[in-house]
């Protein structure tokens, strides 16, 4: 027997690269191209270092309270974590403890598979249809829980509320998690369904639409009972997951709703404009309702375009995986960044 026999062996999730170059255009991890709300910068300047002496509020009370006002739910229905990754990971540990496999799409956020492996949760993937949509009938088989993003990543495809409800309705005996990381870019949230279904958990994040990926703030909303169970697990793991600056700066971001609507609206406008130009350049893509476009070119291989962009300091995301190896996931940046990308592509494709 070796000590290594007792190691929990896992294949970790691979996040998009985070190069810090002065002149790069970073369109590879779906961050927001605009800064957080101005009130956040003002508060950063005023933060008292002395406050860092103390442990933070383990219940993240002010953040929970403002989210409860904003979304019109009880504070007891909200759970906050260190990015939605932390929230979803806790939810896997809390809710997916059956013998039956949990279900998620074959093309989706690749962290789901990693958490399932980490926690030894059996899982099964369900193939998206030709148009990258979920097939609700696939989610009628016996299972131990369900998770899918809406809009999906990396496709950007939005499912209707009817499809989401169909899946929840057919699975009242397990927890259904709807990962709404990209819902603020024109999607329709499943939050209103919480009134009807106590097995639904809706997860959202400050990383994309609230321009705060660097602070790591995520949250979920569900029935009071579900949130109690989640808190039991969280407090058995680490009471102080969310640091003090993130808590207070997060509150400030939610306060400025006009700014939030402004930047998400701008990103949506840019996205729609970029769709038109990409089409003219010979790209095809499912219609995205997220802050990225998942596109392939009619003739030039995805890997080749990815490398060419990278060599020119334009970073997008590419996966060598079944079904998606020809595709590039392009985050929507500022108009200026997107214009640089588009003119590079125009020249590059003309020469290919
Ligand atoms: N869900 C999906 C579908 C995502 O694409 C991401 C971003 N990688 C996350 C969750 C996690 O985001 P964060 O932890 O920054 O909230």
């Amino acid at each position: 027997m070796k000590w290594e026999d007792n190691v929990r062996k896992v294949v970790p999730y691979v996040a998009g690269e985070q190069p810090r170059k002065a002149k790069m255009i970073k369109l590879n991890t779906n961050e927001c191209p605009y800064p957080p709300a101005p009130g956040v910068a003002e508060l950063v300047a005023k933060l008292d270092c002395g406050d860092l002496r103390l442990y933070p509020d383990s219940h993240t009370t002010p953040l929970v309270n403002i989210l409860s006002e904003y979304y019109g739910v009880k504070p007891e229905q909200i759970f906050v974590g260190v990015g939605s990754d932390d929230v979803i990971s806790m939810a896997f540990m809390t809710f997916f403890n059956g013998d039956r496999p949990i279900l998620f799409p074959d093309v989706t956020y690749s962290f789901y598979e990693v958490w399932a492996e980490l926690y030894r949760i059996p899982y099964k993937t369900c193939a998206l249809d030709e148009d990258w949509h979920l097939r609700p009938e696939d989610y009628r088989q016996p299972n131990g829980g369900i998770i899918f993003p809406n809009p999906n990543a990396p496709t950007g495809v939005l499912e209707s509320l009817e499809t989401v409800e169909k899946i929840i309705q057919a699975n009242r005996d397990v927890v259904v998690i709807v990962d709404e990381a990209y819902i603020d870019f024109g999607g329709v949230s499943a939050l209103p369904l919480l009134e009807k279904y106590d097995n639904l958990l809706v997860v959202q994040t400050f990383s994309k639409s609230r321009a705060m990926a660097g602070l790591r703030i995520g949250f979920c909303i569900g029935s009071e009972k579900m949130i109690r169970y989640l808190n039991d697990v969280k407090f058995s793991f680490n009471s102080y997951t969310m640091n003090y600056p993130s808590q207070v700066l997060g509150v400030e971001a939610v306060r400025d709703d006009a700014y939030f609507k402004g930047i998400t609206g701008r990103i949506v406008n840019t996205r729609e404009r970029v769709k038109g130009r990409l089409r003219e350049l010979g790209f095809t893509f499912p219609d995205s309702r997220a802050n990225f476009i998942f596109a392939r070119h009619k003739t030039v291989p995805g890997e080749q375009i990815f490398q060419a962009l990278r060599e020119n300091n334009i970073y997008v995301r590419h996966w060598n995986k079944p079904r998606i190896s020809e595709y590039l996931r392009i985050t929507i940046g500022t108009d200026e960044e997107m214009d640089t990308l588009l003119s590079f592509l125009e020249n590059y494709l003309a020469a290919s």
Side-chain angles (χ1 to χ4, degrees), residues 225-334:
K225 201 178 200 176
M226 281 177 113
I227 300 303
R228 271 201 304 275
Y229 278 124
L230 254 180
N231 271 314
D232 285 347
V233 169
K234 176 225 154 140
F235 282 97
S236 309
F237 195 81
N238 176 359
S239 315
Y240 307 105
T241 47
M242 174 154 290
N243 68 65
Y244 169 73
S246 293
Q247 293 194 25
V248 291
L249 297 171
V251 168
E252 205 50 45
V254 182
R255 277 210 183 109
D256 197 341
D257 199 40
Y259 183 82
F260 166 70
K261 299 244 162 73
I263 56 171
T264 48
R266 259 167 99 177
I267 291 166
V268 168
N269 288 340
T270 308
R271 177 188 73 204
E272 295 308 308
R273 184 174 71 82
V274 171
K275 282 180 189 173
R277 284 290 293 129
L278 283 177
R279 245 179 240 119
E280 286 166 12
L281 292 171
F283 285 90
T284 56
F285 44 85
D287 191 32
S288 167
R289 295 296 182 86
N291 67 338
F292 53 83
I293 298 173
F294 192 55
R296 66 175 292 172
H297 193 261
K298 278 189 296 204
T299 53
V300 185
E303 168 95 46
Q304 190 183 316
I305 306 177
F306 169 74
Q307 291 300 352
L309 286 167
R310 201 168 179 279
E311 280 155 26
N312 285 275
N313 277 328
I314 302 175
Y315 289 81
V316 299
R317 197 87 200 263
H318 172 259
W319 290 271
N320 265 323
K321 282 191 178 175
R323 288 189 84 179
I324 62 170
S325 58
E326 290 308 323
Y327 284 81
L328 303 172
R329 192 197 64 190
I330 306 165
T331 304
I332 304 300
T334 61

Side-chain angles (χ1 to χ4, degrees), residues 13 83-85 88 109 112 149 153 179 181-182 205 207-208 216-217:
Y13 171 72
S84 51
D85 281 343
I88 301 168
Y109 187 31
Y112 300 158
D179 176 355
Y182 303 101
T205 177
S207 297
K208 327 285 176 179
R216 312 299 298 123
I217 306 174

Side-chain angles (χ1 to χ4, degrees), residues 13 15-16 29-30 81-88 108-112 115 148-154 179-182 203-208 212-214 216-219 292 317 329:
Y13 171 72
T29 48
N30 298 340
V82 186
S84 51
D85 281 343
D86 179 45
V87 174
I88 301 168
T108 197
Y109 187 31
S110 49
F111 223 142
Y112 300 158
W115 286 311
F148 57 88
N150 197 33
N152 196 6
D179 176 355
E180 296 189 338
Y182 303 101
V203 184
Q204 295 192 6
T205 177
F206 283 42
S207 297
K208 327 285 176 179
M212 289 184 136
R216 312 299 298 123
I217 306 174
F219 63 97
F292 53 83
R317 197 87 200 263
R329 192 197 64 190

